[in-house]
Amino acid sequence: MATTEIKNICCIGAGYVGGPTMAVIADRCPSIQVNVVDLNESRINAWNHPDLNQLPIYEPGLDAVVARARGRNLHYSTKIELAIENADMVFISVNTPTKIRGVGAGKASDLRWVEACARQVAKSSKGHTIVVEKSTLPVRTAEVIKAILSSAESAPKGTNNPKSFEVLSNPEFLAEGTAINDLENPDRVLIGGESKKAVEALANIYEQWVPKEKILLTNLWSSELSKLTANAFLAQRISSINSISALCEVTGADVGEVSLAIGRDSRIGSKFLKSGPGFGGSCFKKDILNLAYLCRHFGLPEVAEYWENVVKLNSWQQERIARLVIHKLFGTVAGKKIALLGFAFKANTNDTRESPAIKIAKDLIEEGAELAIYDPKVNSEQIKISLSIDEYKLDDNQASRNESFSDIGKWYVASNIGQSLQGADAALIITEWEEFSRLKWEDLAPLMRQPAWVFDTRAIVDVSAIKKAGIKVWRLGDGAE
Ligand code: UDX
Ligand code: ADP
């Protein structure tokens, strides 16, 4: 049986997953034409922007990959039907957020975009098409996709060009900020499917750059469940170490030292043991809630509760940071200026989805704080969408701090760190951007109002240098303070 050779790929969804993944496939497989399509015209225009700094996603190394392949065999467009029609293989890489209303609201994944894609593929495809689930999906979603596709399979009987489909699951494990390296040197590639021929066709693509032994083949349901489980385990490690960070603070232990000590046990391993303000990003919370929803659906409430606690602990970590800042600033932040350093959910990305900065900023604004937000990659529009609160417009003579003692909280974007700290009572580091670890506090201290604080939720600052500069400092998980 000859393997199906893939010559033309269509990827529906030009987001954080589809965009970088297809760029790397196109880069590594010059003989395959890769068409990335999206309903969002401005996103597509940004992918096609001649200035590579204007790509819609900030991801280290992405610009070079796009530069090599774009226009050669990598194309971004809104012509969804045409791209599907020409494709031997269609990747579905659209958003699957948690449902906000109806059955399963707040827990189950909203599959309306995936379903719309399946219907679009059923309608526009020609001949045989392999459909690949790339988005993270609830277990057994492939069944939904198959059901929609099979209605199109039966429709055109007797025509010259009958349609047929195969469905594969190929979850993406890339992490934002390291996406290009994760794609180019993956720990593993997972392909789940029933048809050996279709599985091999997809495996052949990855084999262009991934060693064969790293390509794992499973059944469809194991593949779908593995993705949810991997994210649940990773998030669980973060909640575990964050729970210990609180204990360190009251016992005099240092969570960094505890992480180091336990991580040396090869059974535990050293990765994903960094305590912080709580995990963010589009996947962890959504996938755990989805996993818990599945467990309840299948009559396993104890298992559901076990995983839900990982999310609960995460919210608690975010809440306790806001509470602590208020407590240290004499029990009130009303009318006080706080420089919020970092808004992205982690360093090296402009993504703010589920960023701990959102909950922490909202809690402080609610208490009347004036937040001067600085993030090297997140713009004010994105912050406004995340907070659902309009930006406060400073007038020219108010560029430093608000002396009105108004207790109505507000936020605005500071154009640089100096501006954010001008007259501030505190700096609150949320994202571990490298530049925040190199700040010269002896130069910055005179800008702040005394007594000034630095709250470091990522343990990236040099505590003794800050103290020397005359600023009080609190570092997450550090009981020696
Ligand atoms: C995650 C998974 O890592 C990836 O495999 C999956 O495909 C998508 O979800 P991502 O959300 O992009 O990737 O980033 P990740 O590096 O996992 O970080 C998630 C959150 O956990 C961030 O807020 C990060 O700051 C936090 N984190 C991570 C910690 O607080 N401590 C750690 O030790 C690691
Ligand atoms: P992810 O992080 O999973 O990549 P994003 O939200 O960044 O998620 O990207 C998903 C993309 O999918 C968005 O750009 C959205 O416009 C696109 N999309 C959603 N539904 C469809 C559809 N039916 N057809 C084409 N594009 C779609």
Side-chain angles (χ1 to χ4, degrees), residues 12-13 15-17 38-40 43 80 93-95 113 117 353:
I12 310 178
Y16 282 90
V17 173
D38 202 295
L39 292 167
N40 183 335
R43 205 166 214 186
I80 301 174
S93 192
V94 297
N95 32 328
W113 293 274
C117 289
R353 287 177 291 179

